[in-house]
Amino acid sequence: MAGSRFIPDRGLTTRMVATMALLGILYVAFVIALYLVGMPVVLLVLVVVGFAVVQYFTSDRIAMFSMGAREVAPAEAPELHAVVDRLCAMADMPKPKVAIARTDVPNAFATGHNRGNAVVCVTTGLLRRLDTAELEAVLAHELSHVAHRDVMVMTIAGFLGIVAGFLTQMGLRFAMVTGGARSNNNGPAPAVVALLVVLVSAVVWALSFLLTRVLSRYRELSADRAAAYLTGRPSALGSALTKINGDMARIPTTDLRRAEPFNAFFFTPAVSQKGFSLSQMFATHPPVERRLAQLADISRQLGTGA
């Protein structure tokens, strides 16, 4: 990848471009459809533009606030900063901000709409459970998301789904409030317009949901590969992955449910019960077994000099 020493991934780049192109087409069709079904232009512009600005420029702060995370200085977390400094030097990339979230859910995530405001965050639960090599592997995984710019793409991709979800909820409430009210100008009744907005929004939400899930699963495999080759220790990443997933069962359900909305950005998903992902079509991450198999294959390649 240009601008860092993380191994390039053309598959990831192709998928990001394709996802953004498809979402762009879907976005334009969404706006046109909302206009055609009778949504007021002023409200349409306010919702679409307003959500876009808020989502793009505040996504990192929202994620940090929701997870109870705060940026830490080198003096507050010298060992954590030392690992990030070492990895950034190895990857030849600018150092992002470093943050810690005080929760026992063992995880890590990267956020930010560009490299200039990128943040890499780890939880106190992760710091307590992993040794230095495992922590380095997980942080390398998160830094690769920043270097590959897929954090930015996921932030933008998630915007359409948020708007569609918001309009679906508002349309249903509006339809319930207006009930059988009739239009004053022989046009469609307000409730009919609201229900049409709900229908269009629901379809768009479903499509954007599936597109972002497909990209999310691939980018996790790509980050695992990049981290394994950068550190040269895929076994450390595999060990961290196994340890974190094993300990998830011991975390209180309330804490896991609070973290679940950020699954797409986590190193590994927070699950509140067995079988959380009903099918691979809806999962944010590939199966742990697949990730471990990929790391084992990389380990064999590095061991044979391949």
Side-chain angles (χ1 to χ4, degrees):
M1 180 65 63
S4 80
R5 294 197 183 106
F6 281 108
I7 60 170
D9 191 327
R10 292 182 179 178
L12 177 62
T13 302
T14 300
R15 283 168 173 78
M16 288 194 298
V17 172
T19 298
M20 293 306 295
L22 290 172
L23 284 174
I25 295 171
L26 189 61
Y27 176 71
V28 172
F30 179 48
V31 173
I32 293 174
L34 290 178
Y35 175 76
L36 292 177
V37 301
M39 187 173 185
V41 176
V42 175
L43 179 59
L44 179 60
V45 172
L46 181 64
V47 171
V48 172
V49 176
F51 265 100
V53 172
V54 172
Q55 172 74 357
Y56 186 76
F57 288 104
T58 67
S59 59
D60 54 330
R61 290 191 289 274
I62 292 174
M64 293 275 285
F65 176 79
S66 300
M67 285 299 298
R70 71 178 185 88
E71 185 179 352
V72 292
E76 297 176 90
E79 294 181 1
L80 177 60
H81 271 273
V83 173
V84 175
D85 285 335
R86 183 165 61 252
L87 288 170
C88 287
M90 292 168 61
D92 191 23
M93 64 178 288
K95 182 183 179 182
K97 299 173 184 176
V98 179
I100 294 178
R102 296 198 174 280
T103 171
D104 197 44
V105 178
N107 233 313
F109 66 91
T111 185
H113 58 269
N114 58 45
R115 292 189 183 185
N117 75 337
V119 181
V120 173
C121 179
V122 297
T123 66
T124 51
L126 187 81
L127 292 174
R128 185 169 63 82
R129 289 171 171 84
L130 303 187
D131 62 29
T132 302
E134 293 166 340
L135 177 62
E136 182 180 73
V138 171
L139 286 171
H141 172 105
E142 296 305 328
L143 287 171
S144 76
H145 284 315
V146 176
H148 288 163
R149 295 185 174 88
D150 56 81
V151 171
M152 175 187 68
V153 172
M154 286 296 293
T155 297
I156 297 173
F159 152 71
L160 185 57
I162 290 175
V163 173
F166 171 78
L167 290 177
T168 299
Q169 294 180 28
M170 294 302 295
L172 284 172
R173 292 176 182 174
F174 184 73
M176 292 174 64
V177 171
T178 56
R182 296 182 179 181
S183 172
N184 295 325
N185 56 0
N186 296 322
V192 174
V193 173
L195 289 175
L196 288 173
V197 170
V198 169
L199 178 61
V200 172
S201 300
V203 171
V204 170
W205 179 86
L207 292 175
S208 62
F209 178 89
L210 292 176
L211 285 173
T212 53
R213 286 299 188 271
V214 171
L215 176 60
S216 179
R217 290 193 294 272
Y218 185 87
R219 82 183 192 113
E220 293 304 324
L221 290 172
S222 176
D224 282 349
R225 284 193 296 271
Y229 280 112
L230 181 72
T231 62
R233 288 187 286 187
S235 60
L237 186 59
S239 175
L241 188 59
T242 301
K243 188 178 293 186
I244 292 171
N245 276 275
D247 281 356
M248 281 293 183
R250 303 183 181 91
I251 304 301
T253 300
T254 301
D255 292 343
L256 291 176
R257 285 178 177 167
R258 189 180 301 118
E260 279 177 4
F262 300 95
N263 274 344
F265 293 92
F266 280 147
F267 169 67
T268 188
V271 291
S272 58
Q273 58 185 4
K274 292 183 179 179
F276 167 72
S277 181
L278 297 178
S279 74
Q280 276 308 104
M281 182 180 294
F282 304 118
T284 57
H285 291 60
V288 173
E289 295 77 14
R290 184 178 178 187
R291 297 175 71 178
L292 291 175
Q294 175 181 251
L295 292 171
D297 185 56
I298 294 173
S299 184
R300 286 191 294 271
Q301 293 177 21
L302 292 176
T304 59

